[in-house]
Amino acid sequence: MTKLSDAVNASNLDFHELARRSNVSEKRLNGYLSGRHSFSRAPLEDAVAIANALGGRIEDYMEDAAEDGEAEKLDDRLRLQLFLDSVDEYELIMKNVGRPQAVTIGGSGEKTEKRYSQLIVEGMLLRKYYSSDEVQLAKVIDSFRRLIPDDASPDVLHTVDLLEKDTPSQGNKSQIVFSNADGSYSSGVDLLFDVLYGITLHGDPDRIQRLARWPITAQRLALYESNVERRKGVVTVRQYIDLAIKDGLFALD
């Protein structure tokens, strides 16, 4: 029994009345009550509506963390919905921020250049799909695979195998190597990490020191190439999930 199901049992509301009052579908509500979907990770509008219908606080119905200290495993459908929502948000932000259509090693070496900021913003937004996040592409693809029905055609399963194979863990297929006048070398993804973890998302003196050896034009090109590859991976996974839903292989609500 979940805390939410205990609260429902203690209330004067039956299952159907709670669904009606909260305007949450019976299917989703059943998932929260059974523990199949984590109420602690429910969309905010669902959590608020259900808590209001029960006359309590959201916190009253949240499940405690597992005894071993690890967070509850995210439901596969919820992970895919979270991924799709996050991609929508990513695309919306980039539509407003804009992205350069091309970047070369030449040109201005100033950080004040608009396209440098655009590349930084996109690099930060794409990071979660290639880090230990709930929407990491590797986890999303695993959830995608588990949701495919057992009676699906072999072609569908083969497609997911190809998708997994063609999605590198760091999202960078290109093997661009940058060389500097002092004889040092760096891959595009290493430069990306030094920019993101050294000065933008985090502050790391060792990474900042390494970045100081590289001109902004090289950092900018590394960001551009990495963003292109990482974006391609995110968009491809999104397209396959959308197609599977459209073809009726599974639903997310």
Side-chain angles (χ1 to χ4, degrees), residues 164-196:
E164 187 173 44
K165 181 180 178 181
D166 292 339
T167 307
S169 61
Q170 295 302 335
N172 292 72
K173 292 182 182 179
S174 61
Q175 299 297 321
I176 296 178
V177 176
F178 294 87
S179 59
N180 214 340
D182 62 5
S184 59
Y185 294 86
S186 180
S187 68
V189 72
D190 285 339
L191 266 179
L192 169 72
F193 287 168
D194 283 346
V195 171
L196 294 183

Side-chain angles (χ1 to χ4, degrees), residues 125-144:
L125 289 172
L126 287 168
R127 169 182 173 264
K128 59 183 170 292
Y129 301 112
Y130 299 94
S131 64
S132 57
D133 196 280
E134 291 292 1
V135 292
Q136 179 191 35
L137 289 190
K139 295 180 182 179
V140 171
I141 294 172
D142 283 343
S143 289
F144 183 23

Side-chain angles (χ1 to χ4, degrees), residues 29-214:
L29 181 58
N30 183 58
Y32 299 141
L33 293 175
S34 65
R36 186 164 47 86
H37 295 170
S38 170
F39 184 74
S40 302
R41 297 176 181 270
L44 183 58
E45 59 270 23
D46 280 8
V48 170
I50 293 172
N52 287 341
L54 288 170
R57 303 175 307 158
I58 295 176
E59 295 82 7
D60 295 336
Y61 315 125
M62 297 294 186
E63 297 298 320
D64 296 329
E67 290 183 2
D68 60 3
E70 296 182 359
E72 181 181 351
K73 184 178 178 181
L74 194 63
D75 174 82
D76 290 324
R77 284 182 169 79
L78 185 56
R79 172 175 284 112
L80 260 60
Q81 188 61 63
L82 181 62
F83 169 72
L84 296 178
D85 291 344
S86 74
V87 175
D88 287 343
E89 189 75 8
Y90 154 65
E91 294 289 2
L92 176 62
I93 292 173
M94 291 313 302
K95 180 180 179 180
N96 291 321
V97 171
R99 59 167 60 98
Q101 296 305 307
V103 171
T104 62
I105 198 67
S108 169
E110 297 296 327
K111 285 190 175 183
T112 53
E113 205 175 30
K114 181 179 180 180
R115 56 181 171 173
Y116 180 81
S117 296
Q118 291 172 328
L119 292 168
I120 288 290
V121 169
E122 183 162 27
M124 291 190 294
L125 289 172
L126 287 168
R127 169 182 173 264
K128 59 183 170 292
Y129 301 112
Y130 299 94
S131 64
S132 57
D133 196 280
E134 291 292 1
V135 292
Q136 179 191 35
L137 289 190
K139 295 180 182 179
V140 171
I141 294 172
D142 283 343
S143 289
F144 183 23
R145 184 190 301 278
R146 285 192 291 268
L147 288 174
I148 294 175
D150 294 336
D151 59 354
S153 72
D155 289 342
V156 173
L157 298 175
H158 180 61
T159 297
V160 180
D161 288 338
L162 293 177
L163 183 63
E164 187 173 44
K165 181 180 178 181
D166 292 339
T167 307
S169 61
Q170 295 302 335
N172 292 72
K173 292 182 182 179
S174 61
Q175 299 297 321
I176 296 178
V177 176
F178 294 87
S179 59
N180 214 340
D182 62 5
S184 59
Y185 294 86
S186 180
S187 68
V189 72
D190 285 339
L191 266 179
L192 169 72
F193 287 168
D194 283 346
V195 171
L196 294 183
Y197 301 129
I199 196 68
T200 55
L201 289 168
H202 304 289
D204 184 321
D206 292 334
R207 291 184 182 275
I208 292 174
Q209 189 175 15
R210 283 199 299 269
L211 279 175
R213 301 199 302 263
W214 294 95

Side-chain angles (χ1 to χ4, degrees), residues 4 194 222-223 232:
L4 181 61
D194 283 346
L223 279 166
K232 188 183 302 181

Side-chain angles (χ1 to χ4, degrees), residues 18-25 28 46 49:
L18 178 58
R20 186 188 69 80
R21 290 193 183 188
S22 63
N23 198 30
V24 173
S25 73
R28 289 210 310 275
D46 280 8

